[in-house]
mmCIF file of all heavy atoms in Angstrom:
data_model
loop_
_atom_site.group_PDB
_atom_site.id
_atom_site.type_symbol
_atom_site.label_atom_id
_atom_site.label_comp_id
_atom_site.label_asym_id
_atom_site.label_seq_id
_atom_site.Cartn_x
_atom_site.Cartn_y
_atom_site.Cartn_z
ATOM 1 N N GLU A 163 0.840 -1.202 0.004
ATOM 2 C CA GLU A 163 0.004 -0.005 0.001
ATOM 3 C C GLU A 163 0.869 1.243 0.004
ATOM 4 O O GLU A 163 2.018 1.209 0.406
ATOM 5 C CB GLU A 163 -0.878 0.036 1.261
ATOM 6 C CG GLU A 163 -1.805 -1.130 1.403
ATOM 7 C CD GLU A 163 -3.132 -0.942 0.711
ATOM 8 O OE1 GLU A 163 -3.433 0.175 0.278
ATOM 9 O OE2 GLU A 163 -3.854 -1.930 0.601
ATOM 10 N N GLY A 164 0.283 2.338 -0.437
ATOM 11 C CA GLY A 164 0.914 3.624 -0.282
ATOM 12 C C GLY A 164 1.870 4.045 -1.376
ATOM 13 O O GLY A 164 2.532 5.044 -1.236
ATOM 14 N N GLU A 165 1.996 3.280 -2.437
ATOM 15 C CA GLU A 165 2.809 3.708 -3.562
ATOM 16 C C GLU A 165 2.083 4.868 -4.225
ATOM 17 O O GLU A 165 1.184 4.680 -5.027
ATOM 18 C CB GLU A 165 2.996 2.565 -4.556
ATOM 19 C CG GLU A 165 3.754 1.382 -4.019
ATOM 20 C CD GLU A 165 5.251 1.607 -4.049
ATOM 21 O OE1 GLU A 165 5.708 2.398 -4.881
ATOM 22 O OE2 GLU A 165 5.935 0.995 -3.224
ATOM 23 N N ALA A 166 2.453 6.091 -3.858
ATOM 24 C CA ALA A 166 1.785 7.312 -4.329
ATOM 25 C C ALA A 166 0.293 7.212 -3.992
ATOM 26 O O ALA A 166 -0.089 7.300 -2.848
ATOM 27 C CB ALA A 166 2.041 7.543 -5.806
ATOM 28 N N ASP A 167 -0.532 6.962 -4.985
ATOM 29 C CA ASP A 167 -1.978 6.883 -4.732
ATOM 30 C C ASP A 167 -2.508 5.484 -5.047
ATOM 31 O O ASP A 167 -3.664 5.331 -5.341
ATOM 32 C CB ASP A 167 -2.717 7.939 -5.551
ATOM 33 C CG ASP A 167 -2.553 7.737 -7.051
ATOM 34 O OD1 ASP A 167 -1.675 6.943 -7.443
ATOM 35 O OD2 ASP A 167 -3.274 8.371 -7.809
ATOM 36 N N GLY A 168 -1.639 4.472 -5.005
ATOM 37 C CA GLY A 168 -2.100 3.154 -5.424
ATOM 38 C C GLY A 168 -1.561 2.014 -4.605
ATOM 39 O O GLY A 168 -0.920 2.179 -3.583
ATOM 40 N N VAL A 169 -1.859 0.818 -5.103
ATOM 41 C CA VAL A 169 -1.460 -0.432 -4.486
ATOM 42 C C VAL A 169 -0.658 -1.221 -5.512
ATOM 43 O O VAL A 169 -1.017 -1.269 -6.681
ATOM 44 C CB VAL A 169 -2.709 -1.264 -4.084
ATOM 45 C CG1 VAL A 169 -2.316 -2.600 -3.511
ATOM 46 C CG2 VAL A 169 -3.576 -0.500 -3.112
ATOM 47 N N VAL A 170 0.414 -1.860 -5.048
ATOM 48 C CA VAL A 170 1.202 -2.741 -5.915
ATOM 49 C C VAL A 170 1.022 -4.157 -5.400
ATOM 50 O O VAL A 170 1.213 -4.436 -4.213
ATOM 51 C CB VAL A 170 2.709 -2.355 -5.902
ATOM 52 C CG1 VAL A 170 3.513 -3.349 -6.726
ATOM 53 C CG2 VAL A 170 2.899 -0.935 -6.417
ATOM 54 N N PHE A 171 0.628 -5.035 -6.311
ATOM 55 C CA PHE A 171 0.534 -6.466 -6.010
ATOM 56 C C PHE A 171 1.742 -7.136 -6.662
ATOM 57 O O PHE A 171 1.883 -7.098 -7.890
ATOM 58 C CB PHE A 171 -0.749 -7.084 -6.582
ATOM 59 C CG PHE A 171 -2.011 -6.556 -5.976
ATOM 60 C CD1 PHE A 171 -2.708 -5.520 -6.576
ATOM 61 C CD2 PHE A 171 -2.503 -7.102 -4.802
ATOM 62 C CE1 PHE A 171 -3.886 -5.037 -6.030
ATOM 63 C CE2 PHE A 171 -3.684 -6.621 -4.245
ATOM 64 C CZ PHE A 171 -4.375 -5.583 -4.857
ATOM 65 N N ARG A 172 2.621 -7.715 -5.834
ATOM 66 C CA ARG A 172 3.777 -8.448 -6.367
ATOM 67 C C ARG A 172 3.452 -9.940 -6.264
ATOM 68 O O ARG A 172 3.216 -10.450 -5.168
ATOM 69 C CB ARG A 172 5.019 -8.097 -5.573
ATOM 70 C CG ARG A 172 5.492 -6.700 -5.857
ATOM 71 C CD ARG A 172 6.879 -6.435 -5.247
ATOM 72 N NE ARG A 172 7.297 -5.099 -5.608
ATOM 73 C CZ ARG A 172 7.074 -4.022 -4.837
ATOM 74 N NH1 ARG A 172 6.467 -4.166 -3.686
ATOM 75 N NH2 ARG A 172 7.472 -2.838 -5.232
ATOM 76 N N LEU A 173 3.439 -10.606 -7.391
ATOM 77 C CA LEU A 173 3.132 -12.026 -7.429
ATOM 78 C C LEU A 173 4.415 -12.816 -7.575
ATOM 79 O O LEU A 173 5.298 -12.445 -8.356
ATOM 80 C CB LEU A 173 2.182 -12.335 -8.585
ATOM 81 C CG LEU A 173 0.712 -11.954 -8.383
ATOM 82 C CD1 LEU A 173 0.517 -10.449 -8.350
ATOM 83 C CD2 LEU A 173 -0.147 -12.557 -9.438
ATOM 84 N N PHE A 174 4.504 -13.922 -6.830
ATOM 85 C CA PHE A 174 5.671 -14.786 -6.857
ATOM 86 C C PHE A 174 5.206 -16.214 -7.095
ATOM 87 O O PHE A 174 4.265 -16.665 -6.470
ATOM 88 C CB PHE A 174 6.408 -14.732 -5.510
ATOM 89 C CG PHE A 174 6.910 -13.362 -5.132
ATOM 90 C CD1 PHE A 174 6.089 -12.489 -4.439
ATOM 91 C CD2 PHE A 174 8.171 -12.951 -5.472
ATOM 92 C CE1 PHE A 174 6.520 -11.234 -4.081
ATOM 93 C CE2 PHE A 174 8.626 -11.689 -5.132
ATOM 94 C CZ PHE A 174 7.804 -10.822 -4.430
ATOM 95 N N GLY A 175 5.877 -16.915 -7.988
ATOM 96 C CA GLY A 175 5.555 -18.298 -8.268
ATOM 97 C C GLY A 175 4.530 -18.439 -9.388
ATOM 98 O O GLY A 175 4.042 -17.456 -9.923
ATOM 99 N N PRO A 176 4.207 -19.669 -9.732
ATOM 100 C CA PRO A 176 3.263 -19.915 -10.820
ATOM 101 C C PRO A 176 1.864 -19.431 -10.455
ATOM 102 O O PRO A 176 1.436 -19.568 -9.319
ATOM 103 C CB PRO A 176 3.298 -21.431 -11.006
ATOM 104 C CG PRO A 176 3.801 -21.954 -9.709
ATOM 105 C CD PRO A 176 4.685 -20.909 -9.124
ATOM 106 N N PHE A 177 1.179 -18.849 -11.426
ATOM 107 C CA PHE A 177 -0.156 -18.311 -11.221
ATOM 108 C C PHE A 177 -1.117 -19.191 -12.022
ATOM 109 O O PHE A 177 -1.560 -18.822 -13.105
ATOM 110 C CB PHE A 177 -0.177 -16.863 -11.648
ATOM 111 C CG PHE A 177 -1.312 -16.055 -11.088
ATOM 112 C CD1 PHE A 177 -1.639 -16.106 -9.745
ATOM 113 C CD2 PHE A 177 -2.048 -15.227 -11.900
ATOM 114 C CE1 PHE A 177 -2.682 -15.348 -9.223
ATOM 115 C CE2 PHE A 177 -3.083 -14.470 -11.402
ATOM 116 C CZ PHE A 177 -3.402 -14.528 -10.066
ATOM 117 N N THR A 178 -1.395 -20.392 -11.482
ATOM 118 C CA THR A 178 -2.218 -21.377 -12.180
ATOM 119 C C THR A 178 -3.343 -21.831 -11.263
ATOM 120 O O THR A 178 -3.272 -21.678 -10.034
ATOM 121 C CB THR A 178 -1.394 -22.615 -12.599
ATOM 122 O OG1 THR A 178 -0.976 -23.290 -11.414
ATOM 123 C CG2 THR A 178 -0.191 -22.246 -13.433
ATOM 124 N N ALA A 179 -4.377 -22.403 -11.853
ATOM 125 C CA ALA A 179 -5.524 -22.887 -11.074
ATOM 126 C C ALA A 179 -5.070 -23.900 -10.032
ATOM 127 O O ALA A 179 -5.456 -23.809 -8.855
ATOM 128 C CB ALA A 179 -6.566 -23.515 -12.005
ATOM 129 N N ARG A 180 -4.257 -24.849 -10.418
ATOM 130 C CA ARG A 180 -3.816 -25.886 -9.488
ATOM 131 C C ARG A 180 -3.086 -25.281 -8.297
ATOM 132 O O ARG A 180 -3.366 -25.615 -7.145
ATOM 133 C CB ARG A 180 -2.915 -26.890 -10.197
ATOM 134 C CG ARG A 180 -2.400 -27.980 -9.258
ATOM 135 C CD ARG A 180 -1.552 -28.974 -9.962
ATOM 136 N NE ARG A 180 -0.257 -28.381 -10.243
ATOM 137 C CZ ARG A 180 0.745 -29.038 -10.780
ATOM 138 N NH1 ARG A 180 0.585 -30.290 -11.144
ATOM 139 N NH2 ARG A 180 1.895 -28.474 -10.986
ATOM 140 N N ASP A 181 -2.168 -24.363 -8.562
ATOM 141 C CA ASP A 181 -1.378 -23.788 -7.477
ATOM 142 C C ASP A 181 -2.200 -22.835 -6.610
ATOM 143 O O ASP A 181 -2.060 -22.841 -5.391
ATOM 144 C CB ASP A 181 -0.151 -23.070 -8.061
ATOM 145 C CG ASP A 181 0.750 -24.041 -8.790
ATOM 146 O OD1 ASP A 181 1.087 -25.086 -8.218
ATOM 147 O OD2 ASP A 181 1.117 -23.761 -9.941
ATOM 148 N N ILE A 182 -3.062 -22.034 -7.215
ATOM 149 C CA ILE A 182 -3.877 -21.097 -6.456
ATOM 150 C C ILE A 182 -4.887 -21.847 -5.576
ATOM 151 O O ILE A 182 -5.001 -21.585 -4.375
ATOM 152 C CB ILE A 182 -4.621 -20.119 -7.401
ATOM 153 C CG1 ILE A 182 -3.616 -19.180 -8.075
ATOM 154 C CG2 ILE A 182 -5.676 -19.325 -6.646
ATOM 155 C CD1 ILE A 182 -2.993 -18.161 -7.197
ATOM 156 N N TYR A 183 -5.632 -22.797 -6.167
ATOM 157 C CA TYR A 183 -6.681 -23.489 -5.404
ATOM 158 C C TYR A 183 -6.102 -24.463 -4.382
ATOM 159 O O TYR A 183 -6.775 -24.799 -3.418
ATOM 160 C CB TYR A 183 -7.667 -24.189 -6.334
ATOM 161 C CG TYR A 183 -8.598 -23.209 -6.998
ATOM 162 C CD1 TYR A 183 -8.603 -23.044 -8.370
ATOM 163 C CD2 TYR A 183 -9.480 -22.444 -6.250
ATOM 164 C CE1 TYR A 183 -9.460 -22.129 -8.987
ATOM 165 C CE2 TYR A 183 -10.341 -21.528 -6.851
ATOM 166 C CZ TYR A 183 -10.320 -21.384 -8.211
ATOM 167 O OH TYR A 183 -11.151 -20.477 -8.807
ATOM 168 N N ASN A 184 -4.852 -24.902 -4.554
ATOM 169 C CA ASN A 184 -4.220 -25.734 -3.540
ATOM 170 C C ASN A 184 -3.728 -24.900 -2.365
ATOM 171 O O ASN A 184 -3.468 -25.420 -1.299
ATOM 172 C CB ASN A 184 -3.043 -26.518 -4.114
ATOM 173 C CG ASN A 184 -3.499 -27.722 -4.903
ATOM 174 O OD1 ASN A 184 -4.595 -28.232 -4.720
ATOM 175 N ND2 ASN A 184 -2.666 -28.170 -5.819
ATOM 176 N N SER A 185 -3.602 -23.594 -2.570
ATOM 177 C CA SER A 185 -3.039 -22.706 -1.540
ATOM 178 C C SER A 185 -4.084 -21.869 -0.821
ATOM 179 O O SER A 185 -3.881 -21.466 0.312
ATOM 180 C CB SER A 185 -2.029 -21.745 -2.171
ATOM 181 O OG SER A 185 -0.995 -22.453 -2.799
ATOM 182 N N LEU A 186 -5.204 -21.564 -1.480
ATOM 183 C CA LEU A 186 -6.179 -20.631 -0.923
ATOM 184 C C LEU A 186 -7.583 -21.232 -0.951
ATOM 185 O O LEU A 186 -7.896 -22.076 -1.777
ATOM 186 C CB LEU A 186 -6.185 -19.345 -1.753
ATOM 187 C CG LEU A 186 -4.878 -18.579 -1.837
ATOM 188 C CD1 LEU A 186 -4.976 -17.497 -2.899
ATOM 189 C CD2 LEU A 186 -4.538 -17.968 -0.489
ATOM 190 N N SER A 187 -8.421 -20.714 -0.042
ATOM 191 C CA SER A 187 -9.814 -21.142 -0.052
ATOM 192 C C SER A 187 -10.534 -20.472 -1.229
ATOM 193 O O SER A 187 -10.058 -19.485 -1.791
ATOM 194 C CB SER A 187 -10.496 -20.731 1.257
ATOM 195 O OG SER A 187 -10.656 -19.324 1.306
ATOM 196 N N LEU A 188 -11.708 -20.989 -1.571
ATOM 197 C CA LEU A 188 -12.484 -20.420 -2.677
ATOM 198 C C LEU A 188 -12.835 -18.956 -2.421
ATOM 199 O O LEU A 188 -12.747 -18.123 -3.309
ATOM 200 C CB LEU A 188 -13.749 -21.254 -2.905
ATOM 201 C CG LEU A 188 -14.556 -20.936 -4.151
ATOM 202 C CD1 LEU A 188 -13.704 -21.061 -5.405
ATOM 203 C CD2 LEU A 188 -15.748 -21.860 -4.236
ATOM 204 N N ASP A 189 -13.217 -18.614 -1.183
ATOM 205 C CA ASP A 189 -13.541 -17.233 -0.838
ATOM 206 C C ASP A 189 -12.309 -16.334 -0.968
ATOM 207 O O ASP A 189 -12.405 -15.203 -1.441
ATOM 208 C CB ASP A 189 -14.108 -17.118 0.576
ATOM 209 C CG ASP A 189 -15.553 -17.600 0.645
ATOM 210 O OD1 ASP A 189 -16.224 -17.601 -0.405
ATOM 211 O OD2 ASP A 189 -15.990 -17.984 1.741
#
């Protein structure tokens, strides 16, 4: 937060259905 007037999302690792859904809940 706080980068001037915005938000920066830094993503690390593969961004795939298998990896996301194995790591996070549906909500």
Side-chain angles (χ1 to χ4, degrees):
E163 300 273 349
E165 296 279 335
D167 62 348
V169 177
V170 175
F171 295 96
R172 289 190 178 93
L173 283 69
F174 300 87
F177 200 47
T178 66
R180 179 178 74 175
D181 298 310
I182 292 289
Y183 286 117
N184 282 337
S185 301
L186 300 168
S187 70
L188 189 56
D189 285 337

